[in-house]
Structure formats: C-alpha cells, structure tokens
Amino acid sequence: MAWLLSLVLAAALQALCAMPASAQQAMPPARVALVVANGAYPQAGIPGAIQDGRVVAATLREGGFDVVLVEDAGRTELRQAIATFAGKLKRGAEAVVFYTGHALQQRSRNFLIPVPPQKAEQDAVDLDELIDPLIIARPASAFIFIDASRDNPWQPTGRGLLAVEPLERIAVMFSAAPGRTVADTGARASRSVEEWLKAIRTPNLDMAAAAKRTQDAVARATRRGQQPWLSSEPPAGLVVTRPAAVAQNNRAVIPPLEGKGAPPDAYELAFWETIRNSESAAEYRAYLDAYPNGRFASLARAREQLYRAKPPSSAPPPAATAVVTSPPAPAAAPPASSAGPATPTGPAMLRDCNGCPEIAAIPAGSFQMGSNELYEFEKPVHPVTVRAFYLGTHEVTYEEWDLCVDQGGCSYRPDDRGLGRGKRPVADIHWNDANAYLAWLSARTGKRYRLPTESEWEYAARAGTTSIYPWGEAMAKDRANCNGCTDQPRRATVAAGQFPPNGFGLYDMAGNAAEWVADCWSENYRAAPRDGGAYSVPACRERVLRGGSFNNDPRYLRSAARFKYDADVRFYTNGFRVAREP
C-alpha cells in the first residue's frame, strides 16, 4: 500500500502547484479531519475508544469538517484512511487529526498499532506517514491529537511516546508527556479526550486556547499528576465550533420574541427565555451583567427597577387548571422559623398539556442547604427560604423530548445509544438544549417553565429530611439507579419511576440521569442566594448538575452533592427536569 500513499500525495501536490494563486485565495479554506478509533485489541482492549472516535467525528462534522472516520483499522485500512485524508487536503486548509488506540516507540520513531496486530512491531504504521501529508499540503493550521500514551504488551523498551519536533503550522498533542503513560478511566477512553471535547465544543474558542484549557483541566483533575503534552503552540485561528454554526443550529430552537431586527445571539435568547416572565430583580440583573447591550436590555432594566421596589410574591401554587392526577394539597404558607417544609399529605400532580411532563406542587418553606462533611464546594451549610413552585415528578423523558423535536421546538435529537427511548430520561443534553425545551414548553402552555434553581432542587430532593440521603443516613440498596446502588449495576438509565419516590412524590432525584439546574458554578456557598434564587455571574460558562447519575457512586447521590459541567457541552449521563412558576 505504500505506492498508493505515494501516488495520492504526489497527485495532491501537483494539483496544489497547478492551481493559480488567485483561485486559491478566493476559495474558502478547506476543513478536513481524520479520525481513527482503534479499541478491539485482543490482548489490551480499549472499551471507550470507539465511542470517543464517534463523538470526536460528530463534533468535527458539526463544525463543518469533512471527516474521514475509520474504526478498528488494520494496517491496510489505516493506510487507506490516511491516503483518503491526504487526497482531501488543500493548501491553506484547516486540518484536525485524532487517533485513539495503542502506539509504541521503536527505532527513535512512534508507530500506531493496527487492529488486530499480528506482529505489532512489523505491522505498525509510522506516525510520520500521518504527519507527512500535512507537511506537503502546507495547511494554514493543523492539530494532531494522539491519544495513545498507554502501557501495552507490544512495547519492547521504554514507555509512552517519543517527543515530536516542532513543525510549522502543525501542533501535536499527546495525552501524556513523552515517556509517560496514563490509565483509561471513566466514560471516555482518557480524561484528556473528555476535556478536549469540552473545549473544542466551546463556540469561538481556537485550538490554542482549547489545548491550554485541556491541559489545565486535566492537571486540576489529576492533582498535577498528568498533563497533556504539546509539541508547540497550535496555530491561531483554528476554531472547531464557529459562532455562526451555533446560531444556525439553534435558530429553529427558540420561538420568536417581540421586537424587530436580526435574531439575537442564540445563547442570549435562551437566557432571556428563562427569565422573560420572572418577577425577580436579581434575574434581570444577571441578564444585564451578561448582556449589557443586549436586545432586551432596556426592558430588563425597567423590570429590574420594578421588581426591586416590589418584592416577588410568595404565594403558593394555585390549584391545577389542567389534568390533575391526584387531589391537590391545601396551600402551605411559609413558616416563620422552620428547619424544613411541612411534608404534603397528598401533593398536587398535574400536566399542563398532553405530552407535557407531570409536575408536583412543592410547598414553600425553609431548610439548611449544603454539607460540611466532604467537599469545600458544598460548604458552608446555610439557611435558605424557598417560595412555592412546581417541579417535574420525573426527569424529562425521550418521549417528551422527541415531541419537542417533532413539533419544531427543539432541533437536537440525542442518540439513545441503542438502549431505547420512550420513558427513559433524555440524556446527552447540554444546558442550552434544556433551556430551548423549556422555552418551547412555555410557549405551548402559556406557563413559565424553567430549570429549578440549585436551592430549589436540594429543597425538593430533601423533601423535609435532614439526613445524608432522602431515605436516611446510609446508602440503602434498591433506592436509586447508580454504580453501587443495586446488586447488579445497570450501567445505563432506566425508565422513570422504577424506584420509590421521595416525600414530595418526586422520582429519581438521586441517580438515573444527572440534572442541570439554573445556577452558575461556585466554589462554595459564601455568596449563594438565601432566597431560593439562582446564583449567576457574567459570562457564566460552567453550570451546576445535581443528583448524580447511573454512572456515579453513592457519594454523588447525597442530597447535598453537586458537580459542574460546561453549559454548552453534551454528555451521555446528563439530563434535566422541569420547574414551573405558580
């Protein structure tokens, strides 16, 4: 196959040289990518490799890249994929290469190991065969991520990979420093891949910043025990997720609002949709901090002044006006001094429309939020008073989400990973997706749907309890879907309502899918609102997830447990449930 690679490279170089300079400049830069995912090694399999490759390929396609994807490639298939990729390269192109699998160093070179390796030392493909087409094509910018810093049985001497010399307009990143290896952990085949995916999915973040963000995130997560290595700083200007593409992908998601002119930024619009009917001065201030010159800035300032002078009503939820599935409880007034709410004897359950999520009336009350036991970001324990509101009795399901897609309210249909849809909680949803669904639901029903605040979520999860878990101080078997909650972990979400509800009639507040809430991430609760509102800061990038997921151990199912994720990054454990104003 060497002759095929040489022929393609020569043809590509001849075509580039023959093209007039004016024509080259007039054409937009080509965006080409090669993704190789090798995992099915008989002696040393990599369970997450194929999934990683597919997610990387999908992300690059969404960014407008022409992607060559090959999985579990043998020597011939690997070299053919490289040749196909080389044939697509043009002078001045933007290129990304991602390889996940095994590799070895020998003869002062790095070699990629095919699947299956008959004789790894002989069958392996020289990494230079992948780099050489880029050198010949002279791209405007190219980034190569080799996720192969793993121990393997074919490495005769040494460990990890050898350093690659700096190249003009081409940067190479390894998941570990030269001569070092890392173990595969978590849902990704490596933490470096997980963090890199988060970074390149951030709109308008170029590869130099994405690589730096990846290095910093991995270093923090591993307590400086690991950090991806770069051969040189990536060329400026290589952006995977362009803002224009984000706006295009989200244009159909949000219902039109009042006013004329060009559509506002999709994220600004999603933000506004979550607060447009609010009576909280703090929420309008949060919008103005994030978008001081936004489309709705004048209206937000007027409402901020109005509601600062007029405190929000703390009236309890009204009686249901839609389909009631159980008798509503009497309205509960907020206690003057209380460690928790009055537990309802028969919570009101209703749906505002056919296909809408079922919601429960959550009474007003006060509670002690947080924990002083484990993590600094759960401290300090502090009192919070919560107004009455409605909350979904279960996490939003695929069935409910697909209705939004079918009716044009949501544009993204997440993959169920072959596990089925229906009553299972929708997952692989980022924070902005969730707000798009809530905007559609609000427009459909005339009610104000939103994400619960973090304090509302914990208040509802505790349901009047003060114990570590809603059911008591210790983990109990068969109370939730998590890794360690049952004798046989399911390793996936299950249909909503399979485990006992809490005192408010809410299912899966612990486990199943992790749940987005409205708040920006904070490193502690010192500045957290005490009135049940959401914590917000300008240009908030990280949002809070609550409840833990099927993939977490019981520590993350505690009522006080909290963790964070980038607001614009999807992950297959993350979903949400709805909140609704009275």
Side-chain angles (χ1 to χ4, degrees):
M1 294 304 298
W3 63 272
L4 176 61
L5 178 61
S6 300
L7 180 62
V8 171
L9 292 178
L13 181 59
Q14 183 177 2
L16 287 169
C17 293
M19 184 179 294
S22 59
Q24 294 178 30
Q25 293 173 357
M27 295 174 61
R31 287 165 73 83
V32 187
L34 171 64
V35 176
V36 180
N38 283 356
Y41 297 94
Q43 300 102 315
I46 307 172
I50 298 301
Q51 177 67 12
D52 278 1
R54 292 175 181 176
V55 174
V56 170
T59 300
L60 293 170
R61 288 193 187 102
E62 289 174 3
F65 283 81
D66 181 0
V67 179
V68 178
L69 171 63
V70 62
E71 299 174 354
D72 289 334
R75 177 182 173 86
T76 299
E77 291 79 15
L78 179 54
R79 300 188 76 181
Q80 285 177 336
I82 294 172
T84 302
F85 169 70
K88 294 175 179 288
L89 286 172
K90 295 179 174 61
R91 189 168 190 163
E94 297 176 337
V96 175
V97 176
F98 174 76
Y99 172 88
T100 184
H102 283 300
L104 58 85
Q105 53 165 293
Q106 59 181 357
R107 304 191 302 275
S108 300
R109 311 275 284 278
N110 294 311
F111 292 83
L112 311 178
I113 301 178
V115 175
Q118 302 299 326
K119 294 182 179 180
E121 296 82 357
Q122 298 177 13
D123 294 342
V125 175
D126 195 328
L127 179 59
D128 285 351
E129 290 189 33
L130 191 154
I131 296 175
D132 285 347
L134 290 165
I135 296 174
I136 293 172
R138 299 184 63 188
S141 55
F143 184 79
I144 302 172
F145 185 178
I146 304 298
D147 176 42
S149 300
R150 300 179 170 91
D151 289 317
N152 63 69
W154 307 288
Q155 181 66 64
T157 59
R159 299 184 69 200
L161 301 176
L162 296 170
V164 176
E165 63 182 15
L167 300 166
E168 185 179 1
R169 296 184 297 274
I170 302 170
V172 180
M173 184 166 79
F174 296 160
S175 50
R180 298 191 64 182
T181 59
V182 294
D184 297 333
T185 59
R188 302 259 76 88
S190 79
R191 188 180 295 274
S192 297
V193 175
E194 180 177 353
E195 297 299 339
W196 181 66
L197 274 166
K198 290 182 191 179
I200 65 173
R201 285 169 164 172
T202 303
N204 210 31
L205 189 71
D206 78 356
M207 195 61 75
K212 180 64 166 60
R213 184 177 292 183
T214 302
Q215 289 180 311
D216 291 345
V218 173
R220 287 195 304 270
T222 59
R223 300 182 182 276
R224 297 287 169 183
Q226 174 195 343
Q227 187 177 57
W229 173 85
L230 279 169
S231 63
S232 57
E233 183 171 331
L238 175 57
V239 174
V240 171
T241 304
R242 293 166 167 169
V246 174
Q248 180 66 33
N249 290 340
N250 285 277
R251 190 166 293 139
V253 174
I254 310 295
L257 295 176
E258 64 272 15
K260 297 180 181 180
D265 178 86
Y267 296 122
E268 179 193 352
L269 189 48
F271 193 142
W272 180 257
E273 281 294 338
T274 66
I275 68 167
R276 62 182 303 194
N277 296 317
S278 174
E279 295 183 3
S280 168
E283 290 187 354
Y284 290 110
R285 172 42 48 191
Y287 168 82
L288 290 168
D289 287 341
Y291 301 99
N293 299 312
R295 182 179 182 181
F296 308 101
S298 297
L299 180 57
R301 289 189 187 94
R303 289 186 179 177
E304 181 191 20
Q305 293 175 4
L306 172 65
Y307 293 121
R308 180 170 288 139
K310 176 185 176 182
S313 169
S314 59
T321 57
V323 181
V324 180
T325 56
S326 64
S337 177
S338 172
T343 304
T345 56
M349 308 293 187
L350 63 99
R351 296 181 193 272
D352 285 322
C353 64
N354 289 330
C356 286
E358 182 184 68
I359 54 178
I362 308 299
S366 299
F367 78 114
Q368 295 293 317
M369 181 176 180
S371 170
N372 291 329
E373 301 302 321
L374 289 180
Y375 304 112
E376 289 299 319
F377 50 76
E378 296 174 0
K379 302 176 182 179
V381 173
H382 58 286
V384 177
T385 298
V386 175
R387 296 185 301 149
F389 67 106
Y390 286 107
L391 188 66
T393 60
H394 56 261
E395 295 153 338
V396 173
T397 65
Y398 277 104
E399 181 178 74
E400 291 158 348
W401 180 270
D402 288 343
L403 180 63
C404 179
V405 176
D406 293 342
Q407 293 190 359
C410 302
S411 64
Y412 174 65
R413 194 185 296 272
D415 186 0
D416 60 27
R417 301 169 66 225
L419 298 171
R421 302 177 84 81
K423 304 294 184 183
R424 290 178 56 244
V426 66
D428 201 27
I429 294 297
H430 60 42
W431 192 85
N432 295 304
D433 292 328
N435 278 290
Y437 175 87
L438 295 162
W440 168 79
L441 197 58
S442 298
R444 187 178 183 216
T445 63
K447 309 290 186 181
R448 189 202 167 206
Y449 279 87
R450 56 178 175 79
L451 287 173
T453 68
E454 188 174 7
S455 52
E456 286 174 336
W457 190 98
E458 185 171 330
Y459 172 81
R462 290 184 179 278
T465 65
T466 58
S467 52
I468 293 176
Y469 299 96
W471 52 80
E473 294 295 336
M475 186 63 212
K477 291 288 185 182
D478 299 320
R479 298 303 299 264
N481 178 22
C482 82
N483 186 10
C485 292
T486 56
D487 290 331
Q488 294 183 339
R490 291 164 172 80
R491 309 291 185 185
T493 56
V494 297
Q498 299 298 301
F499 298 91
N502 72 1
F504 282 163
L506 307 175
Y507 293 89
D508 300 318
M509 292 295 282
N512 220 14
E515 299 177 21
W516 290 108
V517 295
D519 299 57
C520 296
W521 176 256
S522 58
E523 295 299 333
N524 54 61
Y525 284 136
R526 291 186 181 89
R530 266 47 172 183
D531 62 356
Y535 174 75
S536 184
V537 295
C540 175
R541 184 173 63 85
E542 296 176 323
R543 297 281 176 172
V544 180
L545 285 160
R546 283 299 204 124
S549 76
F550 67 87
N551 203 38
N552 293 129
D553 64 55
R555 287 175 300 170
Y556 296 94
L557 273 67
R558 295 173 298 111
S559 296
R562 60 195 297 256
F563 45 110
K564 63 183 177 180
Y565 218 75
D566 285 4
D568 56 356
V569 176
R570 301 181 178 112
F571 193 56
Y572 73 99
T573 65
N574 299 344
F576 69 107
R577 76 177 65 218
V578 304
R580 204 204 82 180
E581 290 293 306

